[in-house]
């Protein structure tokens, strides 16, 4: 007889026991992850509603490796009755719908709170308002075993200034000294991608890192989108059927799936040998399995549409890079929408040249990766971007990675980013993604090459001109002396011919570059 | 010869200036065509008995970024030359290089300014001595020849006898340009080695042979060659060349007679009728002279000379063959093995007789 004791654990308990998968494996990594998760939630709270983010982060050392973090945003605020769940219950929320956002499960922020609770016995303090007449304050803990919020204190106060946003504060055990380089780099890279955000960070030493917005333009917010038939599995379809109000299969497909119209649905159901008028709830398990399998095989679906995505855009990407590096030239490109496994994605890339960009040895190339506006700071060499950079024959573009001041930027936005691991630090080399990154970088490289060629030409023309300007007067003088004439000949006419020629060359190269 | 062309040189220089001036005034890029000095353009002129430049010309245009600098340099050298000639002053190649630093004319090193001087010689067909530019002189002259200086202004009209200085008189611009007043000698001995030149003075060779002595101190400088030519042409004196018995000495004699490829752009430096007295290769055996084996370099030089147009005459070829056969060389000083005066008493009379009988 088995003496094994079976028990179920709550989601909170599961993540408590397996915290390394969410990036909380040690105090250094935890410090970085907590800051990142909270800042990203703050940014999301602004961007989804087109509010230019104003995010302030303060980290205070309290001694004995305990730090207190406070993150303040001007986002839409958390509705009064949602606060306990938003901060005190793991896996709260319904995510059957897909939307490009920084996090997927809304897990990170709560893990941070949980981590604070278990390492520093800290409860989390939240002050929020949606801009109404009241602001509300909560002090919460998480009941780990039951995955439920415990409200310690709750206060509602008037909000005469109509302040809107969220302030979250708690303590945790961390190691800022060793996390510092990554944390600072995280803020710096975030600011590159978000030139429309005010980002401020005060570290425990009192150092202020401040990135002021340089534009009021913002990319359009990401939209929620229904899943594409290529991107669902049996479980998801099962849940969708349980939730649907559609009474026929055609309606069910049209109402719940991305880019499926009535005609497509009818064709597909024929192929799947499922009656179009069948009530979805009456499908037996065999039919359900056939339905899901056929979804992957059927080639009549329109590819997913990337309208729902929120790329940065060439202009904004350029602005962010220019602010940070003051480069001599930036080539930016945004690829058209593509899709992998039913998930739409868009790749944006840039290559910057010169300015404050240093010349680096080939194995320390400046490569900046972003996924859904999050900088990826770890495991560069496992990332698909690196694979692509190594694959491209840069000589064809007359770029020398080891002797030229170059920086590479790749941003992929997707309803589901193909991360290779749970740690969400590097992107898997899915062929579709790899292809898009490769062509984005090649497009930029061509642009840079054209710029460099143009510059070289202009330099040559300028040097030529200065040679003529130097020697023609001398020739004029010597010929005057030799001829025994009183005054030198007017060489301006000859010089003007050189200048006209220079202008011509310059214009020709401009046309070529276009 | 040089003296006479001063005015001619000046008019050539101002003609050059006028052309350039006019081109600039017309709004054109000034340009110059210079006879090319590349080996493919150096040909042997049978009539003149010397190397001359062919018809190829290279362009120096202000429109060409690669040529404008050297065109400017050339015009600067020309204007510098004009000043020298018109003010009766002179300069060395080194001096000219330093002068250029004053004008922002960037010559990378002296070889570049030397080259530019050669360009001007080529363009105008005048030796640099005509522009009062000459290299450091090493050659000397001794003999009963009365001259009157024509340059510089400070010495104009002064007379001097070239036998008055027992070391000989250095052959500089002033000596080369001087008027010959009276000459009691009836031949010229041109000697490669200073030691032998001194010996000839001590042994009164000038008296015994009634000769003017010239020490070339190796390869004859151009002023020395000019002077030799003038003595031969203006005074009708036969010229006899004394060199070591090796391919280098042989070539010193040849350059005086038929000129060098380096100076193919110039005329009037050669003395075609000058006679090479020796030492010949055959003299080593003939006079039982102490000798040394030829070096590798000597042998290579002999091979080169064999194919040289200037050496195709039978006498010269047979001397080259003798070198190849014996593989020995000897110097003028070798006669000292037979006593202090052997070269004067035994060799010279015998060789001169041989040459006259030919």
């Amino acid at each position: 007889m088995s003496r094994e004791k079976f028990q179920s654990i709550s989601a909170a308990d599961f993540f408590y026991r397996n915290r390394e998968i969410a990036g909380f494996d040690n105090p250094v990594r935890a410090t970085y992850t907590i800051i990142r998760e909270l800042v990203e939630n703050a940014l999301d709270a602004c961007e989804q509603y087109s509010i230019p983010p104003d995010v302030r982060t303060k980290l205070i050392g309290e001694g004995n490796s305990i730090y207190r973090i406070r993150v303040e945003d001007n986002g839409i605020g958390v509705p009064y009755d949602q606060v306990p769940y938003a901060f005190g219950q793991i896996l709260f929320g319904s995510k059957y719908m897909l939307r490009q956002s920084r996090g997927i499960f809304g897990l990170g922020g709560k893990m941070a709170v949980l981590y604070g609770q278990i390492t520093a016995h800290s409860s989390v303090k939240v002050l929020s308002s949606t801009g109404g007449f009241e602001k509300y304050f909560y002090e919460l803990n998480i009941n780990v075993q039951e995955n439920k919020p415990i409200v310690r204190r709750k206060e509602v106060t008037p909000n005469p200034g109509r302040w809107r946003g969220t302030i979250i504060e708690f303590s945790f055990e961390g190691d800022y000294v060793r996390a510092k380089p990554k944390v600072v780099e995280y803020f710096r890279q975030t600011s590159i991608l978000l030139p429309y955000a005010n980002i401020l960070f005060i570290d425990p030493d009192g150092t202020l890192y401040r990135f002021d917005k340089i534009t009021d333009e913002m990319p359009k917010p990401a939209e929620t989108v229904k899943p594409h038939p290529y991107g669902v599995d049996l479980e998801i379809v099962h849940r969708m059927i349980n939730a649907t109000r559609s009474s026929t299969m055609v309606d069910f497909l049209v109402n719940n799936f991305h880019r499926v119209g009535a005609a497509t649905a009818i064709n597909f159901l024929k192929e799947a040998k499922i009656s179009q008028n069948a009530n979805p709830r009456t499908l037996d398990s065999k039919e359900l399995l056939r339905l899901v399998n056929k979804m992957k095989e059927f080639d009549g679906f329109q590819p997913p549409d990337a309208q729902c995505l929120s790329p940065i855009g060439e202009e904004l990407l350029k602005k962010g890079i220019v602010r940070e590096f003051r480069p001599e030239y930036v080539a930016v490109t945004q690829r058209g929408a593509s899709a992998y496994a039913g998930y739409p994605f868009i790749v944006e890339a840039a290559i910057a040249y010169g300015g404050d960009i240093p010349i680096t040895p080939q194995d320390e190339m400046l490569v900046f990766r972003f996924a859904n506006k999050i900088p990826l700071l770890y495991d560069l060499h496992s990332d698909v971007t690196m694979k692509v950079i190594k694959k491209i024959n840069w000589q064809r573009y007359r770029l020398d990675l080891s002797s030229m001041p170059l920086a590479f930027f790749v941003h992929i936005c997707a309803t589901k980013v193909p991360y290779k691991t749970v740690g969400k630090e590097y992107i898997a080399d899915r062929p579709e993604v790899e292809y898009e990154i490769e062509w984005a970088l090649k497009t930029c490289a061509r642009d840079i090459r054209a710029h460099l060629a143009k510059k070289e030409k202009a330099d040559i023309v300028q040097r030529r001109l200065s040679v003529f300007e130097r020697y023609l007067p001398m020739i004029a003088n010597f010929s005057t002396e030799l001829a025994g004439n009183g005054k030198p000949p007017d060489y301006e006419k000859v010089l003007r011919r050189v200048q006209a020629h220079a202008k011509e060359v310059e214009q020709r190269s401009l046309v070529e570059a276009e | 010869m040089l003296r006479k062309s001063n005015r001619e040189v000046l008019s050539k220089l101002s003609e050059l200036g006028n052309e350039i001036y006019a081109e600039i005034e017309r709004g054109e890029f000034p340009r110059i065509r210079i006879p090319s000095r590349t080996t493919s353009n150096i040909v042997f002129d049978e009539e003149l008995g010397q190397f001359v430049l062919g018809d190829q010309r290279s362009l120096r245009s202000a429109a060409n970024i690669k040529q404008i600098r050297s065109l400017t340099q050339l015009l600067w050298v020309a204007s510098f030359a004009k000043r020298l000639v018109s003010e009766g002053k002179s300069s060395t190649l080194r001096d000219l290089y330093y002068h250029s630093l004053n004008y922002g004319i960037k010559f990378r090193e002296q070889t570049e300014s030397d080259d530019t001087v050669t360009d001007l010689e080529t363009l105008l067909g005048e030796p640099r001595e005509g522009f009062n530019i000459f290299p450091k002189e090493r050659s000397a002259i001794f003999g009963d020849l009365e001259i009157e200086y024509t340059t510089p202004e400070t010495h104009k009209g002064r007379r001097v006898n070239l036998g008055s200085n027992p070391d000989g008189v250095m052959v500089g611009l002033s000596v080369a340009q001087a008027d010959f007043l009276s000459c009691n000698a009836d031949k010229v001995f041109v000697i490669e080695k200073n030691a032998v030149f001194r010996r000839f003075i001590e042994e009164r060779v000038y008296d015994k042979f009634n000769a003017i002595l010239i020490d070339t101190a190796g390869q004859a400088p151009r002023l020395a060659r000019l002077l030799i030519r003038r003595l031969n042409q203006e005074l009708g004196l036969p010229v006899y060349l004394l060199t070591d018995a090796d391919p280098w000495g042989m070539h010193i004699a040849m350059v005086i007679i038929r000129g060098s490829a380096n100076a193919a752009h110039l005329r009037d430096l050669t003395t075609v009728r000058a006679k090479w007295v020796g030492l010949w290769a055959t003299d080593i055996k003939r006079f039982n002279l102490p000798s040394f084996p030829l070096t590798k370099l000597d042998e290579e030089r002999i091979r080169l000379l064999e194919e040289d147009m200037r050496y195709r005459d039978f006498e010269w070829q047979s001397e080259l063959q003798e070198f190849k056969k014996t593989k020995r060389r000897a110097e003028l000083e070798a006669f000292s093995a037979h006593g202090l005066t052997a070269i004067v008493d035994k060799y010279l009379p015998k060789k001169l007789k041989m040459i006259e009988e030919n």
Side-chain angles (χ1 to χ4, degrees), chain B residues 12-188:
Chain B
K12 279 181 177 178
L13 288 168
S14 77
E15 193 187 324
L16 171 66
N18 277 323
E19 276 171 32
I20 303 284
Y21 193 99
E23 278 174 317
I24 297 176
E25 277 288 324
R26 286 199 299 270
E28 289 170 12
F29 289 102
R31 38 163 52 195
I32 284 174
R33 285 182 181 282
I34 304 176
S36 163
R37 288 196 307 278
T38 54
T39 44
S40 66
N41 197 39
I42 295 176
V43 292
F44 194 73
D45 187 304
E46 298 288 348
E47 230 165 277
L48 290 170
Q50 74 164 86
F51 283 116
V52 295
L53 297 182
D55 296 332
Q56 294 173 28
R57 284 172 174 261
S58 63
L59 184 69
R60 293 287 162 77
S61 169
N64 187 323
I65 197 87
K66 294 196 182 90
Q67 295 166 5
I68 188 168
R69 181 163 156 270
S70 68
L71 176 65
T72 311
Q73 290 172 335
L74 179 62
L75 291 171
W76 175 76
V77 170
S79 70
F80 183 71
K82 185 191 170 185
R83 233 170 323 140
L84 288 178
V85 175
S86 57
E87 292 172 19
K89 291 187 175 143
S90 61
S91 174
T92 62
L93 290 171
R94 186 97 189 122
D95 186 40
L96 176 139
Y97 170 68
Y98 280 116
H99 263 281
S100 73
L101 302 177
N102 269 333
Y103 290 83
I105 306 294
K106 291 230 170 70
F107 289 112
R108 278 182 207 99
E109 36 191 304
Q110 199 197 319
T111 52
E112 198 180 29
S113 63
D114 291 359
D115 266 358
T116 310
V117 171
T118 311
D119 280 345
L120 189 64
E121 289 181 318
T122 312
L123 179 67
L124 301 186
E126 292 285 339
R128 60 178 176 251
E129 290 79 3
F131 310 124
N132 291 8
I133 300 164
F134 53 91
K136 209 167 114 196
E137 294 306 320
R138 298 159 296 159
S139 58
I141 183 166
F142 182 91
D144 189 3
L145 173 64
E146 180 103 356
I147 60 164
E148 181 179 312
Y149 287 116
T150 55
T151 59
E153 285 299 312
T154 49
H155 285 64
K156 207 168 178 178
R158 277 203 221 176
R159 296 171 177 200
V160 67
N161 189 293
L162 297 179
S164 59
N165 184 338
D167 289 327
V169 174
M170 196 186 81
V171 180
L173 190 68
S174 300
V175 170
Q177 287 190 330
D179 281 340
F180 302 148
L181 290 182
S182 62
C183 176
N184 293 316
D186 59 14
K187 60 177 77 64
V188 180

Side-chain angles (χ1 to χ4, degrees), chain A residues 92 126 234 308 352 367 474-475:
Chain A
F92 166 78
V126 181
L234 194 59
C308 59
V367 179
M474 289 190 186
I475 291 177

Side-chain angles (χ1 to χ4, degrees), chain A residues 324-449:
Chain A
E324 185 61 27
F325 293 102
R326 284 177 258 281
E328 175 189 306
Y329 188 78
V330 195
V332 197
T333 191
Q334 186 183 70
R335 296 284 302 168
S338 182
Y340 76 94
Y343 302 106
F345 71 95
I346 288 175
V347 166
E348 298 173 290
I351 300 178
Y353 173 88
D356 293 347
I357 296 168
I359 294 170
T360 55
Q362 192 137 15
D363 51 349
E364 287 170 34
M365 267 181 288
L366 285 181
V367 179
F368 299 93
R369 299 163 294 139
F370 303 91
N372 285 349
K373 300 177 187 162
I374 302 174
L376 306 179
L377 301 186
Y378 288 91
D379 298 318
L380 165 64
H381 291 273
S382 316
D383 194 281
V384 60
T385 297
M386 206 58 203
K387 181 180 169 193
V388 170
I389 287 176
K390 280 182 188 150
K391 188 165 87 178
I392 291 176
N393 178 4
W394 295 100
Q395 266 186 326
R396 278 186 50 185
Y397 302 92
R398 290 196 211 110
L399 297 183
D400 182 351
L401 269 39
S402 57
S403 74
M404 292 169 109
L406 292 167
F408 300 85
F409 304 83
V410 172
H411 178 217
I412 168 171
C413 53
T415 50
K416 187 172 191 283
V417 176
Y419 290 112
K420 219 179 227 169
T421 60
V422 203
K424 297 202 289 191
E425 285 299 351
Y426 59 99
I427 304 214
D429 39 7
R430 311 261 329 191
E432 300 91 337
V433 175
E434 189 180 321
Y435 177 88
E436 291 297 323
I437 292 175
E438 181 176 341
W439 283 99
L441 286 177
K442 281 181 172 174
T443 306
C444 293
R446 250 199 316 277
D447 192 353
I448 293 266
R449 178 184 61 182

Side-chain angles (χ1 to χ4, degrees), chain A residues 196-441:
Chain A
Y196 49 84
N198 281 324
I199 296 170
L200 195 136
F201 171 53
I202 300 170
D203 81 358
D205 308 329
T207 310
L208 169 69
Y209 298 88
R210 185 176 151 173
F211 305 91
D212 290 343
K213 67 177 180 181
I214 46 167
T215 175
D216 284 321
E217 264 174 75
M218 285 182 76
K220 72 170 183 63
E223 290 162 24
T224 302
V225 70
K226 293 176 270 192
H228 191 275
Y230 289 149
V232 293
D233 57 24
L234 194 59
E235 176 60 23
I236 289 176
V237 174
H238 192 72
R239 290 188 196 183
M240 287 164 108
I241 285 174
N242 285 341
T244 189
R245 287 190 200 149
S246 308
S247 56
T248 68
M249 273 311 289
V250 174
D251 280 353
F252 170 71
L253 292 176
V254 171
N255 291 340
N256 289 283
F257 286 90
H258 179 50
R259 305 215 69 181
V260 178
T264 311
I266 290 165
N267 282 341
F268 168 73
L269 288 169
K270 255 183 220 154
E271 188 103 348
K273 297 197 177 71
I274 291 170
S275 161
Q276 41 179 293
N277 293 318
N279 186 327
R281 290 169 190 278
T282 62
L283 292 188
D284 62 26
S285 57
K286 259 175 149 179
E287 282 174 313
L288 199 57
L289 189 63
R290 198 161 71 234
L291 181 79
V292 173
N293 287 341
K294 268 282 174 280
M295 276 183 174
K296 301 239 186 296
E297 293 163 17
F298 186 65
D299 56 7
F301 294 123
Q302 295 286 321
D305 178 3
Q307 279 301 311
C308 59
L309 296 176
S310 171
I312 294 295
E314 295 182 5
E315 276 313 302
L316 282 179
L317 184 56
K318 195 170 181 170
K319 276 187 177 146
I321 293 168
V322 167
R323 174 176 63 181
E324 185 61 27
F325 293 102
R326 284 177 258 281
E328 175 189 306
Y329 188 78
V330 195
V332 197
T333 191
Q334 186 183 70
R335 296 284 302 168
S338 182
Y340 76 94
Y343 302 106
F345 71 95
I346 288 175
V347 166
E348 298 173 290
I351 300 178
Y353 173 88
D356 293 347
I357 296 168
I359 294 170
T360 55
Q362 192 137 15
D363 51 349
E364 287 170 34
M365 267 181 288
L366 285 181
V367 179
F368 299 93
R369 299 163 294 139
F370 303 91
N372 285 349
K373 300 177 187 162
I374 302 174
L376 306 179
L377 301 186
Y378 288 91
D379 298 318
L380 165 64
H381 291 273
S382 316
D383 194 281
V384 60
T385 297
M386 206 58 203
K387 181 180 169 193
V388 170
I389 287 176
K390 280 182 188 150
K391 188 165 87 178
I392 291 176
N393 178 4
W394 295 100
Q395 266 186 326
R396 278 186 50 185
Y397 302 92
R398 290 196 211 110
L399 297 183
D400 182 351
L401 269 39
S402 57
S403 74
M404 292 169 109
L406 292 167
F408 300 85
F409 304 83
V410 172
H411 178 217
I412 168 171
C413 53
T415 50
K416 187 172 191 283
V417 176
Y419 290 112
K420 219 179 227 169
T421 60
V422 203
K424 297 202 289 191
E425 285 299 351
Y426 59 99
I427 304 214
D429 39 7
R430 311 261 329 191
E432 300 91 337
V433 175
E434 189 180 321
Y435 177 88
E436 291 297 323
I437 292 175
E438 181 176 341
W439 283 99
L441 286 177

Side-chain angles (χ1 to χ4, degrees), chain B residues 224-251:
Chain B
R225 281 153 66 191
L226 271 163
L227 190 60
I228 293 164
R229 181 186 167 94
R230 283 186 67 201
L231 291 168
N232 180 254
Q233 295 215 321
E234 291 178 29
L235 301 179
L237 302 180
V239 175
Y240 300 100
L241 311 170
L242 283 96
T243 67
D244 288 342
D246 62 34
W248 315 93
M250 212 178 169
H251 198 62

